[in-house]
Amino acid sequence: MSPSPDLLAELLELAKEAAIRAGSLLRDGRPADLGVAATKSSPVDVVTEMDLASEKLILELIGERRPADGYLGEEGAERNGTSGVRWVVDPLDGTVNYLYGLHNWAVSVAAELDGRAVVGVVYAPARGELFHAVLGGGAYLDGHPVSCRPAPPWGQALVSTGFNYVQSVRVRQAEVLLHLMPEFRDIRRGGAAAVDLCDLAAGRVDGYFERGLAPWDRAAGVLIAREAGALAGGRPGQEPDGDLTVAAPPGLFEQLQQRLDEIGAWRD
């Protein structure tokens, strides 16, 4: 059964409020002496005190407004819900960019209904950009519709990607790029998966792929990219997952997905 328009509108407004409030906290509250609070998968996969503060703000806001909903957040917050709605949140996507004072970071908030993303919001405060999408309703940047670029010829594609923080995975990702670099116009690496997917939605790159994304990395961004006209998947016939996420317009998507599968971009 399709979700009601009233429910989608409620979820979208809450997602926007959560992303904007958390993003404003991150932008305006960033301490001059910001440091690493913890590490995750490797010594270079960092968490700052601001990641934790952002997640706390979002979790408390959603808990107040919709206490029966479930929640999954990057920094460890997780709860089961009873409403069928689950929020999947990256409170600071692009933490290393944020730590270094680069602008490519965002707050990503998605709402799933019965396991399917129906609302996605990505707010990039340092870029002054708010992306959103509702299932079946198109993708928007600052309230204006956006769409991905038409598929270019294979050799003219500008494709973005990212790298894992686990050294052995990064080495394999570099090997994949050795295969692909001669076949593309060029590669871009922004350092924030949610922003990369939104840039695809806005026509700023032709395609995107990455290995190792968690649900919070891709939930909002994949919905936004799809609503902008992109196809998204993992290995052929599969949904985006931790092994591989691929997104591109029809015509390029199939070629990119197949080439990545041939190279074995999903494995060590």
Side-chain angles (χ1 to χ4, degrees), residues 206-246:
D206 296 306
Y208 167 79
F209 73 93
E210 189 164 348
R211 178 185 170 197
L213 296 186
W216 46 78
D217 295 316
R218 63 181 186 266
V222 165
L223 178 63
I224 291 167
R226 282 174 165 165
E227 288 297 320
L231 300 176
R235 295 189 65 194
Q238 298 182 14
E239 285 292 298
D241 60 21
D243 288 333
L244 188 64
T245 297
V246 188

Side-chain angles (χ1 to χ4, degrees), residues 19 22-23 26 35-36 72 108 154 158 161 166 169-170 174 198 211 221 227:
L26 291 165
V36 174
L72 177 66
S108 175
W154 176 251
L158 180 64
T161 191
V166 176
V169 178
R170 290 164 69 90
C198 289
R211 178 185 170 197
E227 288 297 320

Side-chain angles (χ1 to χ4, degrees), residues 39-57:
T39 59
K40 292 182 286 188
S41 62
S42 78
V44 294
D45 185 6
V46 301
V47 180
T48 71
E49 62 189 271
M50 298 303 292
D51 293 70
L52 303 174
S54 176
E55 179 149 289
K56 181 175 185 290
L57 184 157

Side-chain angles (χ1 to χ4, degrees), residues 95-117:
T95 298
V96 172
N97 286 346
Y98 180 77
L99 181 65
Y100 276 76
L102 300 173
H103 285 182
N104 231 42
W105 55 270
V107 179
S108 175
V109 180
E112 296 179 342
L113 181 61
D114 298 326
R116 179 178 64 167

Side-chain angles (χ1 to χ4, degrees), residues 157-171:
L158 180 64
V159 177
S160 63
T161 191
F163 302 110
N164 200 278
Y165 286 110
V166 176
Q167 184 180 24
S168 60
V169 178
R170 290 164 69 90
V171 168

